[in-house]
Amino acid sequence: MYRERATEPLLAARTGPGTGTEAPEAGARTGPGTGARPGAEPEPGTESGERGGYTGGFGRWDRLAGVRNRPQRPFTEPGSLYFPPELHPVALHPLVTAGGPERVEWLLLRRLHDYLDFTTQLEALAVIPVVTAISRGRSGLRLPEAMRADAFKIVTDEAWHAQVSYDFGQQVARATGVPAERPNGGGPPAFTECLDVIRDRLPHEIRGVEALLFAIVSETLISGILAEIPRDERLPGSLREHVRDHAEDEGRHHVYFRAVLRHLWAALTPTERGAVGPQVPAAIQAFLAPDLARAAEDLRALGLPARSVEQVLAESWPEEKAVRDMAGAARSLVRYFGEAGALDDPATRDSFESAGLLCSDA
């Protein structure tokens, strides 16, 4: 079993007509070797590794990475607002606020704990395994050597993010008396079930690509939390600094995984692109969709009856607003898939359109 794990790539390998100059991974998909959209003129020397070149954002990693330069932030400022209520609208619903400010504070504390736990689980289960495979030459893709080297740095970054998110949550729990853990342990993250569904929809020979796909999605989407919390002066300063540290590292990861997307799409055959492309919206939803099950659990814990819980959830996240918010957060990522040529496939484009992800200029 362990020998198989050590040698099996994420994406089933096959050879191709690659034109790149890098030494391919053992058995890797070479694709066109440029990471560029098929049929397009290659651009000289961009971040995505065209013509064998790769210019990532890690040249000054030793001086910029949080794990190298920013110590863990101690939580020292207990207050009454721990998460932007606009990003967790159940806390603003009249059926919740009628119970007093203590209910709102508790709900937002629970949402902060869920965010910190999600970060820890995402890094450990979805991102670190993929970048570890890339660093070991087991992604199934032909990548520049510099991308493999930078993958080691991302493994280090993400392990640090998981560690400090866990530790910060424990500090918040001790300071506020609201446990970081849920009574039932919380169960597996919702995204894991979504990834199982995506995997089951894929042809057997390319199963494993869902891991690469979700890592690309999660590392290139513009999270509202990463964007808003550092600027929200209502929140404890230590929390804002904690999230800002994470966001600065993720800016470099964003550039890196945009390059991975180009290499991945170039390596897939047209048939494989037609199978993978329609699953991208589901991967986006797996990352961005609110965790309604946990929100419902918290509302029940406040004593709301089942009918009221359903009302609060429906009115806090009306479908039209949820789709609009998701499209806004995914706008850059959708553009990246378009640049890679994914939206040229009719089934893929239909899937993006049905999910409400396409703007008029896409």
Side-chain angles (χ1 to χ4, degrees):
M1 176 185 296
Y2 287 97
R3 188 172 183 276
E4 291 176 358
R5 287 182 187 174
T7 58
E8 183 177 353
L10 285 174
L11 180 60
R14 58 115 162 95
T15 59
T19 61
T21 60
E22 304 81 11
E25 299 176 3
R29 293 166 174 250
T30 58
T34 67
R37 179 173 175 170
E41 287 298 319
E43 301 173 8
T46 72
E47 87 289 344
S48 56
E50 280 86 337
R51 294 185 179 176
Y54 163 70
T55 305
F58 293 85
R60 295 187 296 157
W61 180 78
D62 279 326
R63 296 191 296 276
L64 297 177
V67 67
R68 294 284 193 174
N69 296 283
R70 292 184 290 278
Q72 179 178 332
R73 305 291 183 177
F75 180 72
T76 56
E77 307 160 68
S80 59
L81 189 69
Y82 296 94
F83 198 85
E86 298 82 6
L87 298 181
H88 193 50
V90 293
L92 298 174
H93 195 281
L95 292 179
V96 171
T97 58
E102 295 82 6
R103 282 188 167 196
V104 174
E105 178 181 343
W106 184 84
L107 272 179
L108 294 175
L109 261 171
R110 285 272 10 118
R111 181 64 186 93
L112 173 59
H113 280 311
D114 284 344
Y115 162 67
L116 295 169
D117 178 65
F118 176 85
T119 299
T120 300
Q121 300 289 352
L122 177 74
E123 310 295 27
L125 296 176
V127 182
I128 291 175
V130 169
V131 285
T132 297
I134 292 174
S135 70
R136 296 180 56 246
R138 294 294 169 184
S139 66
L141 299 175
R142 178 182 190 151
L143 298 173
E145 181 60 35
M147 289 188 72
R148 288 183 58 182
D150 284 349
F152 282 103
K153 299 181 179 76
I154 297 176
V155 171
T156 303
D157 286 344
E158 302 295 29
W160 175 244
H161 297 162
Q163 177 188 335
V164 296
S165 293
Y166 172 81
D167 287 345
F168 196 84
Q170 296 301 311
Q171 293 181 58
V172 172
R174 288 192 293 269
T176 63
V178 176
E181 294 79 17
R182 289 182 168 270
N184 62 357
F191 69 78
T192 59
E193 182 177 351
C194 296
L195 290 179
D196 285 339
V197 171
I198 293 173
R199 181 182 177 87
D200 289 343
R201 292 172 179 167
L202 293 171
H204 181 78
E205 60 270 18
I206 57 171
R207 289 182 180 178
V209 73
E210 75 284 345
L212 274 165
L213 188 67
F214 189 64
I216 290 167
V217 165
S218 66
E219 293 294 292
T220 54
L221 280 170
I222 308 301
S223 165
I225 294 173
L226 290 181
E228 296 299 327
I229 285 183
R231 299 198 298 252
D232 194 332
E233 296 184 357
R234 299 171 298 175
L235 304 176
S238 56
L239 170 60
R240 295 165 57 203
E241 290 169 351
H242 168 84
V243 176
R244 183 181 294 112
D245 290 346
H246 188 175
E248 289 178 2
D249 285 342
E250 290 302 329
R252 289 182 289 278
H253 301 179
H254 180 112
V255 173
Y256 181 90
F257 276 93
R258 183 180 180 184
V260 173
L261 169 59
R262 293 190 180 188
H263 281 276
L264 170 61
W265 219 255
L268 297 174
T269 67
T271 299
E272 290 167 343
R273 292 174 198 152
V276 175
Q279 306 308 319
V280 174
I284 293 173
Q285 291 163 351
F287 183 74
L288 289 177
D291 193 331
L292 299 181
R294 289 193 173 191
E297 180 182 317
D298 289 341
L299 293 171
R300 290 193 295 269
L302 290 177
L304 270 66
R307 182 174 297 179
S308 295
V309 170
E310 292 178 6
Q311 179 183 347
V312 171
L313 294 178
E315 293 175 357
S316 297
W317 287 292
E319 183 176 355
E320 182 177 329
K321 181 180 184 300
V323 170
R324 186 170 62 249
D325 290 348
M326 194 172 302
R331 185 174 292 112
S332 293
L333 178 60
V334 172
R335 187 174 76 253
Y336 302 159
F337 274 97
E339 291 169 353
L343 299 180
D344 294 344
D345 174 68
T348 298
R349 191 174 187 87
D350 287 348
S351 179
F352 274 70
E353 189 168 9
S354 295
L357 293 171
L358 290 186
C359 301
S360 57
D361 58 349

